[in-house]
Amino acid sequence: MPLIKLLKTSTFRLAVIYLALFAASAITLLAYVYWNTAGFLARQTDEAVEVEIAGLAEQYRQGGLPLLVHTVIQRSRDPGQSLYLVLDPAGRVLAGTLDARPQVEPGPDGWFDFDYNRKTLDGVDIKAARARAFFLPEGFYLLVGRDVQERREIESLITNALIWAIGLTMALGLVGGLFMSRNMLARVDDINRSSRDIMEGDLSQRLPIAGTGDELDQLGRNLNAMLDQIEALMIGMRQVTDNIAHDLRSPLNRLRNRLEVTLMQEASADDYKQALEKTIAEADHLLGTFNALLMIARAEAGSLRDSMTWVDLSATMRDVADLYEPVAEEHDLSIAIEVPDGLQIWGNRELLSQALANLLDNAIKHGMPQSDDTERSIVVSAESDPDRPGRGILLSVADRGIGIPEGERKHVLERFVRLEASRNTPGSGLGLSLVAAVARLHGGTVELRHNNPGLNVTLFLPVSGR
C-alpha cells in the first residue's frame, strides 16, 4: 500500500493534528515541570549561600576580620559543597577553598557563575559554581559560593529526558497514525470494492462488517439495511412488472377478442349493448387494478403523510362495516362489530377506510365456512393494545373460512399474489398488499393468524405515527 496514499487519508491528518495538540500540551507541561524543578534547585542554592553569608557577617561584626578569617579557615576544612575565599588588598589568599579570585565580574546584585578547579583523588576536575562576592573595609575581598555541578548535571539530565520524551512521543504518534491510517484505509478499500460491485449491478453484495462496533460498522449496518430495502424494492418492481404483464394480458385479450367477435358477426342492438356492458365491466376491473397499484405506490412513497389528521377510527370502522353488510348478507354471512367508542389515531381516513374495506371484501370472498356447524360470521373488532396502552390500537377482521396456510401468510402480502384456492374468484391479488402498505405508512404492522377455523388479520396502528 503506497505511503503517499496513507499520508493523504483523513485518519492520518486527524492523527497528526491530534499529535500536534498532544505534543504542544506535553511540551508545555514538561517545560513547566523543568522550570519548577530548575528554579527550585537554583533557589535552594542561593538560599544556602545567603545563610552562609549571614553567618559570616555575624562573625565579622563580633570579631572583625581576624574572626572572619578564622571562621572561613575552619569551615574550609570540611566545606562540602560550599566555597570560600578571603583576599587581602594585594590579592593574596588569606583563607578559603579557592586558589584565586575568579576572573568573572559579578552582577549588580553581587551574584555570578564561574568554573573552578577542584582537587580529587584522580586529579583536578573543572566544576561549576555560583557565588556572591563582597569588598570589606580596607580593601579585603570575601567570596561565598556553592558548587552547582551536581545541580547542572540534574538539569542536563532533566533536559535530555524531556527531549527524548518529546521525540519518542512524536515518533510513536507518527507510527501510530500510520498504523491507524493503514487499518482504516484497508477497511475503506473493502467498502469501496463492495460499493463498486453494487454500482455495477450486483445488488446482492453487502458492505463488510468488522464486528468492532465502531462508527464504520454502524455505517455499514445502516447501508446494508438500506441495500436490503433497495434490493427488495427492485425485486418487487420486477415481480410487479412481470405480474402486471401476466395478469393484465388475459383481460386485455378477452376485451379485444370480445370486441372483434362482436364486429365479425351479425348482431342486434341488444347484442352490441351486452358486449359493450361486458367491455365496460372488464375496463372497470382494469381501472380498479391500476387504481389499487397507484394507491399502494402513494402509500409506500409516504406522499400522503401531509394529508394525515386525527381520525375517528371507531366511526370509520362502523361506516365501512355498514357498507359491506348487504354484500355479506348476499353471501349468507353476517358482520359483527365489536368496536368501542372514541378510538382515534393520527392517519389518512381514505386509506384506512380502503384497507378495512379490502379486509372485509377478502373475508366475504373467502370466509364461507366449510362446515354447516360453523358460525357464518365475520367479526370486526378494535381495542387499545394491551402491551402498549394508549400508544397503539389493534384492529382485526376475523372470518370462519378456509384460512391461509402458515407458510403462505407472509407471501400473500405481496402484490398480485393469489393462492390456488382463490384462482377462480374475482380480484387482482392486491387487497392484502394494499393493507400492508397502509399499515407501513402509519408506522404499523400486519399479522395473519389462524382463527380456528378461518383467518384473523390483525393490524397494529400507533395512535400517533409521528
Side-chain angles (χ1 to χ4, degrees):
M1 191 174 294
L3 179 62
I4 190 66
K5 190 175 181 181
L6 282 176
L7 299 180
K8 288 183 177 179
T9 60
S10 59
T11 305
F12 182 77
R13 289 197 295 269
L14 289 175
V16 170
I17 293 173
Y18 176 77
L19 177 61
L21 294 174
F22 180 78
S25 301
I27 291 172
T28 303
L29 178 62
L30 295 176
Y32 176 76
V33 171
Y34 173 79
W35 179 78
N36 270 319
T37 304
F40 172 76
L41 294 175
R43 289 191 299 272
Q44 193 177 44
T45 299
D46 291 352
E47 289 172 0
V49 173
E50 292 288 357
V51 170
E52 292 279 355
I53 291 173
L56 293 175
E58 180 64 24
Q59 297 294 322
Y60 183 75
R61 282 194 297 269
Q62 293 180 3
L65 184 63
L67 184 56
L68 174 63
V69 172
H70 177 73
T71 303
V72 170
I73 292 173
Q74 284 190 335
R75 292 187 179 182
S76 298
R77 292 172 181 170
D78 187 16
Q81 299 297 320
S82 299
L83 299 175
Y84 306 99
L85 180 62
V86 180
L87 300 177
D88 62 12
R92 293 187 295 269
V93 178
L94 299 179
T97 57
L98 299 177
D99 296 333
R101 176 181 174 180
Q103 300 301 310
V104 177
E105 291 297 325
D109 55 357
W111 289 96
F112 61 97
D113 296 317
F114 64 96
D115 294 332
Y116 74 100
N117 295 328
R118 186 164 186 169
K119 296 179 180 179
T120 64
L121 296 177
D122 298 328
V124 178
D125 291 338
I126 298 176
K127 301 289 185 176
R130 178 171 173 78
R132 190 175 182 186
F134 305 89
F135 281 99
L136 303 174
E138 301 178 1
F140 288 92
Y141 178 84
L142 172 64
L143 179 147
V144 180
R146 197 165 184 85
D147 188 308
V148 295
Q149 184 65 35
E150 184 176 349
R151 192 192 84 188
R152 296 286 174 82
E153 291 175 356
I154 293 174
E155 290 176 355
S156 177
L157 182 63
I158 294 174
T159 302
N160 291 334
L162 295 182
I163 293 174
W164 276 102
I166 294 171
L168 288 174
T169 299
M170 298 292 289
L172 292 176
L174 289 174
V175 172
L178 290 172
F179 178 74
M180 290 188 297
S181 300
R182 183 178 180 276
N183 288 344
M184 184 68 70
L185 188 59
R187 294 182 64 183
V188 172
D189 284 342
D190 291 340
I191 293 175
N192 286 333
R193 281 194 295 271
S194 299
S195 300
R196 284 192 292 269
D197 292 339
I198 293 169
M199 288 188 292
E200 291 173 359
D202 187 3
L203 292 179
S204 64
Q205 288 288 333
R206 292 296 179 266
L207 302 182
I209 304 297
T212 58
D214 59 7
E215 62 277 3
L216 284 181
D217 271 6
Q218 295 176 13
L219 177 62
R221 290 191 184 94
N222 290 335
L223 291 177
N224 286 341
M226 181 183 70
L227 290 171
D228 291 339
Q229 184 69 13
I230 292 175
E231 184 180 20
L233 291 175
M234 293 295 293
I235 293 174
M237 183 179 296
R238 286 195 293 267
Q239 290 176 345
V240 167
T241 303
D242 294 342
N243 289 332
I244 288 176
H246 181 269
D247 285 25
L248 297 187
R249 182 175 59 184
S250 297
L252 286 174
N253 283 333
R254 288 197 302 268
L255 186 65
R256 184 184 184 281
N257 292 337
R258 185 180 297 112
L259 293 174
E260 187 177 10
V261 169
T262 302
L263 291 175
M264 289 175 59
Q265 64 184 8
E266 294 292 334
S268 63
D270 290 338
D271 293 332
Y272 283 119
K273 180 180 180 181
Q274 185 177 6
L276 288 175
E277 288 176 350
K278 292 181 179 180
T279 300
I280 291 173
E282 199 75 51
D284 287 340
H285 173 71
L286 292 174
L287 287 173
T289 299
F290 281 110
N291 286 334
L293 285 172
L294 179 60
M295 190 170 292
I296 292 173
R298 292 171 65 191
E300 291 182 339
S303 59
L304 299 176
R305 284 195 176 94
D306 294 337
S307 62
M308 286 186 176
T309 184
W310 285 106
V311 178
D312 187 342
L313 189 61
S314 301
T316 301
M317 294 180 67
R318 290 193 181 97
D319 291 341
V320 176
D322 291 342
L323 180 65
Y324 273 82
E325 191 168 5
V327 181
E329 290 177 354
E330 291 179 1
H331 290 76
D332 196 22
L333 295 170
S334 64
I335 297 179
I337 304 175
E338 300 176 358
V339 180
D341 295 330
L343 294 179
Q344 291 192 343
I345 66 169
W346 181 263
N348 184 291
R349 189 180 188 282
E350 177 187 359
L351 288 179
L352 291 171
S353 299
Q354 186 62 54
L356 183 59
N358 285 9
L359 290 178
L360 282 173
D361 183 70
N362 189 74
I364 291 172
K365 289 178 181 177
H366 310 292
M368 182 64 67
Q370 300 299 296
S371 172
D372 294 337
D373 298 333
T374 306
E375 183 181 0
R376 297 173 176 266
S377 66
I378 299 171
V379 179
V380 179
S381 63
E383 63 177 350
S384 179
D385 186 357
D387 296 330
R388 287 165 281 191
R391 295 175 54 193
I393 294 175
L394 293 177
L395 182 157
S396 67
V397 175
D399 61 57
R400 294 290 186 173
I402 58 176
I404 297 177
E406 185 174 354
E408 299 288 343
R409 289 174 189 170
K410 185 176 181 180
H411 188 50
V412 296
L413 297 177
E414 301 172 3
R415 301 175 192 177
F416 293 106
V417 172
R418 305 188 70 189
L419 302 180
E420 288 298 327
S422 307
R423 287 292 178 185
N424 298 323
T425 59
S428 58
L430 295 174
L432 290 178
S433 60
L434 175 59
V435 174
V438 172
R440 287 193 296 269
L441 175 67
H442 290 80
T445 56
V446 181
E447 183 180 1
L448 277 63
R449 294 177 293 184
H450 193 51
N451 198 37
N452 298 317
L455 179 68
N456 186 332
V457 182
T458 302
L459 274 72
F460 167 74
L461 298 174
V463 172
S464 176
R466 293 175 292 180

